[in-house]
Amino acid sequence: MTTRGDLSLAHVWKRYDGDVVAVRDFDQHFDAGSYVCLLGPSGCGKTSTLRMIAGHETISDGEVRLDGAALNRLPPARRGTAMMFQNYALFPHLSVRDNVAFSQRMRGVNAELRGRKSMELLELVGMEHLAERRPDQLSGGQQQRVALARALITEPAALLLDEPLSALDPFLRVRMRAELARLQRELQITFVHVTHSQEEALALADRVVLMNEAVIEQSGTPFQLFNEPATEFVARFMGGHNVFDATDGRVVLRTDRTRLLDDDGDQAWRAIVDGVEYLGRHVDVSLTRTRDGAPFVASLSDEHYNDRPWRPGEHARLDWSEHDVRPVAA
């Protein structure tokens, strides 16, 4: 199978009403067949970026290219992309099979061919046994699978997914995350997936683009964004880090690399325990440094916590290895 979906966004901007900037100078290249997550808080520009790729938003400046073809002036149907919307947008009066086949019907594909193709796609997503049901007879996860099959029937070079897991309960979200990863590997096309979930991006992506206030804060592998955050915003948004001032400037330290020792009177790193959260595989101990009120979290294994259970109101000394501390830009 040929890998498709070599995608480039060259200095892309999106402006509204002249001076409102939704996306500022988005400049990235994504290899064909990669899984890309556009990550960030609400209003950061990630959905506007996705919609510009799809053709549902005009591009104010810059260029989008897919497998060498410029997309700026092409309508959505001729771009070689398909978009799966957040609300799935299934037709309630059509069966599952007819929902999947709808775009082929609109293009004049004969009934036998589109019926066969829709069943192939339903089999791919494990929904062929429910082909005659209506959308209101399906669970949220089943509806999502139908929406995926409908998007894929056009054989796009890039599949664009706008918060595809946000409507699902946590257990189903994890299951469907695995399904998306499997489909992307089998199809070998580029997936561009918008999410505000750090966990989702870390689990799925080959490449994460973290956006903030219309610009890219950092782009790289999930490992790079979590272990090598470039800015304070990246460290705080990705979570799992303490951000604090050291003698040589602003630094970050992973919470699971933060150690707690019994209080020895060292005022510099003395802290008071504020709360304890048992989270299954680890225990988060929240603390406040007494010298300046800086918040810290120490993520302890349940074994370490059981050896030394900490209680609110106790004093502790914060400790770590120097090689676990990284400087970051403000």
Side-chain angles (χ1 to χ4, degrees), residues 231-253:
T231 68
E232 178 181 346
F233 173 84
V234 176
R236 292 191 185 281
F237 189 85
M238 296 306 296
H241 291 83
N242 292 307
V243 182
F244 58 99
D245 292 318
T247 54
D248 53 352
R250 199 65 149 168
V251 297
V252 297
L253 169 71

Side-chain angles (χ1 to χ4, degrees), residues 242 244 253 258 269 285-289 294-298 318 320:
N242 292 307
F244 58 99
L253 169 71
T258 304
W269 296 107
V285 181
S286 302
L287 307 102
T288 299
R289 190 165 67 173
F296 278 78
V297 173
L318 297 161
W320 54 81

